[in-house]
Amino acid sequence: MELRQLRYLVAIADEGNLRRAAASLYVTQPSLSYALKSLESELGVRLFDRHAGGVTATAAGRDVVTEARRTLRQAERIRAVAERHRPSGSQVLRVGFEASGAGELTTRARSEFARRRPGVRVEPRRFDWGEEVTALREGRADVAFIWLPADLTDLHTEVIHSEPRVVGLPRGHRLAARDGVTLTDVKDEPLTWTERAPRPWVDWWAVNPRPDGSTPRWGPTNNNVEEMLEQVASGEAICFAPVGMARYYARPDLTWVPLLGVEPMRVAMAWVRGGETDLIQGFADTVRDLVADNGSSL
């Protein structure tokens, strides 16, 4: 059994579909199917039931996937421990973020830090909704740009960036030509959301409850930004997002319109309290300098 097989297993469980899992792993579907059959043969149990809509984990599959997740997290911790002892010429700093992160500041910080520390490899680690907090605690990232609100227990955090929010609409939508829209304008529109993030995070993004006490009209759920944008482009739902997403995820079949009357998104730079290293401190100083030079991103 290899870590690669466990990653395949978790991806299949997350996607519930071999085709989508193969795409997320950048492997062919036949290769993934073969790997799954080989693992089931090695373990002596069926891990997934196949059906027209995809696959569903069996009782044995659910237990195995749970252990696979734990094993992969532990493997990341082992790698992180080893990297802290590498010679300075081969050190690695893993910078976590989700979607568009802190906008241009994310890319500028990585680039400037790499310039200041040429012997350090900076690895961007993109996570799905709210996962960057868990990634810090599990050792899968050293420092991260966190979209607030979030559970910041045991984390050192500094708010370093903010962005207005926008509404994502399919091209040709009745509101697409507006200069701005309010919550009242979109109250009857289905809003895409996710079950993968903490509920307070979901509710903040959805502005739930609304100022008048009403709740959003909940639309389809998604697992990541790509699925969310597909749902919007197809006309299934609208979405709320930071303005940086409009720049980083520009598509001809989407329109982004300012969302008026709501508080902006705030982004915090964070790492595990007590786990600060020279690399983390150096990166944090780089971010602070860039924010100061820009006259504050807040």
Side-chain angles (χ1 to χ4, degrees), residues 19 44 125 128 153 206 217 221 230 236 241 286:
R19 178 183 57 79
R125 296 288 182 94
D128 293 322
T153 306
R217 179 185 171 193
T221 60
E230 281 297 314
E236 296 176 72
T286 300

Side-chain angles (χ1 to χ4, degrees), residues 212-264:
D212 62 1
S214 65
T215 59
R217 179 185 171 193
W218 298 109
T221 60
N222 64 76
N223 293 314
N224 51 55
V225 64
E226 289 80 13
E227 290 183 10
M228 180 185 78
L229 297 182
E230 281 297 314
Q231 290 167 344
V232 174
S234 67
E236 296 176 72
I238 66 170
C239 72
F240 295 165
V243 70
M245 190 174 288
R247 303 187 187 108
Y248 281 75
Y249 292 91
R251 291 174 46 152
D253 49 5
L254 292 179
T255 300
W256 299 95
V257 179
L259 179 60
L260 307 177
V262 299
E263 63 180 310

Side-chain angles (χ1 to χ4, degrees), residues 54 87 95 99 118 123 131 134 143 147-148 206 248 252 256 280 283 287 289:
V95 179
E123 291 186 354
E131 189 188 2
T134 303
V143 61
W147 283 9
L148 301 177
Y248 281 75
W256 299 95
I280 292 175
F283 184 81
V287 172
D289 289 346

Side-chain angles (χ1 to χ4, degrees), residues 183 187 207-216:
L183 292 171
K187 66 178 182 179
V207 194
N208 180 41
R210 301 286 164 82
D212 62 1
S214 65
T215 59

Side-chain angles (χ1 to χ4, degrees), residues 244-298:
M245 190 174 288
R247 303 187 187 108
Y248 281 75
Y249 292 91
R251 291 174 46 152
D253 49 5
L254 292 179
T255 300
W256 299 95
V257 179
L259 179 60
L260 307 177
V262 299
E263 63 180 310
M265 175 194 74
R266 297 183 304 147
V267 182
M269 174 174 60
W271 58 85
V272 174
R273 189 179 295 125
E276 183 175 332
T277 64
D278 174 63
L279 293 185
I280 292 175
Q281 182 58 62
F283 184 81
D285 288 341
T286 300
V287 172
R288 295 178 189 120
D289 289 346
L290 289 173
V291 170
D293 289 345
N294 196 43
S296 177
S297 294
L298 300 179

